[in-house]
Amino acid sequence: MLCEFFDNQGNPLESAPQYTLQKAALSFMKATDMEFHAMGELEYYVIADDTMTFEATDQRGYHESSPFAKFNDFRTECMDLIASAGAQIKYGHSEVGNFSLDGKIFEQNEIEFLPVPAVEAANSLMLAKWMIRTLAHRRGYDVTFAPKITVGKAGSGLHIHFKLMKDGHNMMINDGRLSDDAKKAIVGILLHAPAITAMGNKVPTSYFRLVPNQEAPTSICWGDRNRSVLVRVPLGWNDGRDMCSQVNPMETNDSSDPERQTVELRSADGSANVYQLIAAIIMAAKSGFENPDALKLADELYVSVDIHKDKSHAAALKSLPDSCHASSEALKEDREVFECDGVFSPDMIQSIIDTQHNFRDKHLRENVEKNKQEMLQLVRKYWHCG
């Protein structure tokens, strides 16, 4: 599966974001002798007339089943079409967000993919969004990937998982523990996370999602199975235990499998340019391998508590940008990391900086967060972002 970009004469357009991602993947491979594989967790809301019974509990829709979840069949149909185009899907499920408003039902869903080479991962996400929107239109539904949909309800993210591959093997695990290679990549991403928001959080409402207690990260840190951190190491299959047998004592097959282990960046959302986003993640990860203090920093930036509840711990950590303006300033400071090896052209980086800066939203979040009507106007303006 390949999404190609061409100029008016039919020649490949090498300035297109897809080629930026291809160059990033090659740069990473040359520097580390490893391939960068990625996958997305694509969240979105389906909106339809609220003519149905069996209402789901407000903001309690995670993995809900029919008849309380209304769009499981629609999601399954979308996944069938996406898979037929060549994308590798892990599974799909309903998400936390669900509510009714003004005669409409709003239900949040998620489709998770499997790790594949970086360009293929971005192509899968692009095709998936187009197919979901197209099928929704045919069914008379509305769909939005917007990071914020209304006040006080769960926003939608685009979590990006990655793993490092060499000779067909996952290099994220060593002797049952997270490897030094994985930690170096994590540190590189953390150090340049503010700049990455310029590629992954491209509209002002992105920064209304990146606030405490909204199931989104705010502090720059990492941890194991900790949903309050920016970079999370999900539950793996690498500690030698057979988790299947733990809940099914009669089973004895060993299900430990280090090949499954990934690491997850939780900041991005559906407004992202996925090619730029994954390319930026790759270049940031590469910089971690070039940092002589990476492993020391990995220890310093590790967090084992809920950042949103442990305020004293959070105070010692740097925070993500609170606006497009702040993300543009972060990218301006870090642009050399992304321009290394000619991956991002100076013109592309400058265009991203200018676009983010031109939203002029430096104080927007603090000015609007208590004004529900103005907030809803912003949500509607960026409803079909990305």
Side-chain angles (χ1 to χ4, degrees), residues 20 191-202 207 273 276-277 279-281 283-284 320-321 323-340 343-357:
T20 297
L191 293 180
H192 302 292
I196 292 173
T197 62
M199 290 78 160
N201 308 82
K202 282 187 168 289
Y207 300 89
N273 179 311
Q276 293 177 350
L277 169 62
I281 293 171
M283 296 306 290
L320 289 174
S323 63
C324 293
H325 174 88
S327 75
S328 72
E329 292 298 307
L331 181 56
K332 192 183 299 182
E333 291 181 8
D334 278 4
R335 62 184 301 162
E336 290 183 1
V337 171
F338 307 105
E339 292 174 2
C340 179
V343 171
F344 281 81
S345 70
D347 286 346
M348 181 179 287
I349 290 293
Q350 192 59 50
S351 175
I352 297 169
I353 291 171
D354 292 344
T355 298
Q356 296 299 94
H357 179 80

Side-chain angles (χ1 to χ4, degrees), residues 233-271:
V233 182
L235 179 65
W237 302 74
N238 53 67
D239 60 0
R241 293 178 299 166
D242 182 351
M243 291 189 290
C244 294
S245 293
Q246 284 186 310
V247 294
N248 299 281
M250 298 301 291
E251 297 289 337
T252 58
N253 293 327
D254 182 13
S255 64
S256 60
D257 185 2
E259 299 302 324
R260 303 188 188 197
Q261 186 66 63
T262 63
V263 168
E264 171 192 30
L265 176 65
R266 299 172 53 80
S267 54
D269 61 54
S271 69

Side-chain angles (χ1 to χ4, degrees), residues 60-66 68-72 75 92-98 107-111:
R60 292 292 186 273
Y62 187 66
H63 277 261
E64 187 61 272
S65 60
S66 161
F68 301 99
K70 308 301 189 296
F71 301 108
N72 288 345
R75 185 184 63 249
H93 56 87
S94 60
E95 254 294 346
V96 169
N98 60 79
E107 182 182 287
Q108 191 178 36
N109 283 254
E110 178 176 302
I111 296 174

Side-chain angles (χ1 to χ4, degrees), residues 117-345:
V119 175
E120 186 178 343
N123 288 341
S124 296
L125 289 167
M126 287 288 289
L127 284 171
K129 293 174 75 174
W130 177 75
M131 289 181 170
I132 293 168
R133 283 170 167 156
T134 300
L135 188 59
H137 177 69
R138 292 180 180 177
R139 298 289 178 268
Y141 303 150
D142 192 7
V143 162
T144 178
F145 300 93
K148 197 67 178 172
I149 190 168
T150 190
V151 178
K153 309 297 182 183
S156 293
L158 176 59
H159 300 164
I160 301 295
H161 289 243
F162 72 89
K163 63 180 183 178
L164 310 177
M165 302 292 293
K166 183 175 182 179
D167 298 328
H169 294 290
N170 188 353
M171 306 303 292
M172 304 296 282
I173 297 297
N174 184 29
D175 292 331
R177 296 181 178 276
L178 200 68
S179 68
D180 286 351
D181 285 339
K183 292 178 181 179
K184 290 175 184 178
I186 289 171
V187 165
I189 290 169
L190 291 176
L191 293 180
H192 302 292
I196 292 173
T197 62
M199 290 78 160
N201 308 82
K202 282 187 168 289
V203 296
T205 50
S206 294
Y207 300 89
F208 288 86
R209 170 180 163 265
L210 298 178
V211 295
N213 303 311
Q214 290 290 316
E215 297 204 8
T218 56
S219 299
I220 298 175
C221 56
W222 73 285
D224 296 287
R225 300 180 293 282
N226 184 341
R227 294 182 182 274
S228 69
V229 296
L230 174 59
V231 174
R232 183 176 76 104
V233 182
L235 179 65
W237 302 74
N238 53 67
D239 60 0
R241 293 178 299 166
D242 182 351
M243 291 189 290
C244 294
S245 293
Q246 284 186 310
V247 294
N248 299 281
M250 298 301 291
E251 297 289 337
T252 58
N253 293 327
D254 182 13
S255 64
S256 60
D257 185 2
E259 299 302 324
R260 303 188 188 197
Q261 186 66 63
T262 63
V263 168
E264 171 192 30
L265 176 65
R266 299 172 53 80
S267 54
D269 61 54
S271 69
N273 179 311
V274 293
Y275 296 103
Q276 293 177 350
L277 169 62
I278 298 176
I281 293 171
I282 291 173
M283 296 306 290
K286 173 176 169 286
S287 75
F289 285 84
E290 299 162 351
N291 189 326
D293 297 321
L295 296 180
K296 177 184 176 183
L297 288 168
D299 291 337
E300 294 175 358
L301 294 172
Y302 179 84
V303 168
S304 60
V305 300
D306 186 330
I307 294 296
H308 303 319
K309 295 179 180 178
D310 190 333
K311 304 298 183 184
S312 61
H313 203 111
L317 298 167
K318 294 182 179 179
S319 297
L320 289 174
D322 61 359
S323 63
C324 293
H325 174 88
S327 75
S328 72
E329 292 298 307
L331 181 56
K332 192 183 299 182
E333 291 181 8
D334 278 4
R335 62 184 301 162
E336 290 183 1
V337 171
F338 307 105
E339 292 174 2
C340 179
D341 293 337
V343 171
F344 281 81
S345 70

